[in-house]
């Protein structure tokens, strides 16, 4: 099945402690059904100092379920993703506006 949400998409959180926040997807794990979104589901991780990094308490974006995310359409509202054929290619589009993503 084709991926409805991909790296680089702007999404809004539908459920959980960060409900209503928006951000850009930085990575997707389709096997686990999770994605990492900038500024969403941030946890503090304690890291040890090394030659390359300072260490300490660093904020880190944790994975969030894909079912709790919706793509943001041209109007800034949450939308579902659909697929259609255009010029012989499969294209994703926002179901609320009908615009290609």
């Amino acid at each position: 099945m084709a991926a409805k949400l991909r790296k680089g998409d702007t999404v809004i959180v539908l459920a959980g402690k960060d409900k209503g926040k928006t951000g850009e997807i930085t990575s997707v794990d389709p096997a686990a059904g999770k994605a990492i979104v900038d500024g969403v589901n941030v946890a503090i991780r304690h890291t040890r100092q090394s030659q390359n990094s300072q260490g300490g308490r660093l904020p880190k974006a944790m994975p969030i379920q894909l079912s709790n995310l919706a793509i943001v359409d041209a109007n800034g509202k949450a939308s579902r993703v659909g697929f259609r054929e255009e010029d012989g290619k499969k294209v994703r589009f926002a179901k609320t506006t009908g615009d290609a993503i």
Side-chain angles (χ1 to χ4, degrees):
M1 186 170 152
K4 294 185 184 241
L5 298 176
R6 298 179 183 165
K7 180 180 175 180
D9 286 344
T10 303
V11 294
I12 189 166
V13 179
L14 301 175
K17 67 176 184 172
D18 294 323
K19 181 177 180 177
K21 287 187 181 179
T22 60
E24 185 176 322
I25 295 179
T26 56
S27 69
V28 178
D29 182 8
K34 296 185 178 222
I36 296 177
V37 182
D38 281 338
V40 175
N41 199 22
V42 176
I44 300 294
R45 289 288 170 244
H46 296 75
T47 57
R48 182 178 290 237
Q49 183 176 355
S50 67
Q51 283 185 328
N52 302 333
S53 63
Q54 177 64 31
R57 298 179 57 195
L58 302 176
K60 181 180 178 187
M62 302 303 286
I64 187 168
Q65 280 285 348
L66 289 174
S67 62
N68 293 334
L69 301 174
I71 199 151
V72 176
D73 64 3
N75 300 332
K77 305 266 183 173
S79 176
R80 291 188 293 164
V81 177
F83 295 95
R84 65 178 169 218
E85 291 266 337
E86 286 183 7
D87 301 327
K89 292 186 177 180
K90 194 174 190 179
V91 177
R92 296 184 310 150
F93 72 97
K95 287 197 173 187
T96 54
T97 60
D99 297 336
I101 300 171

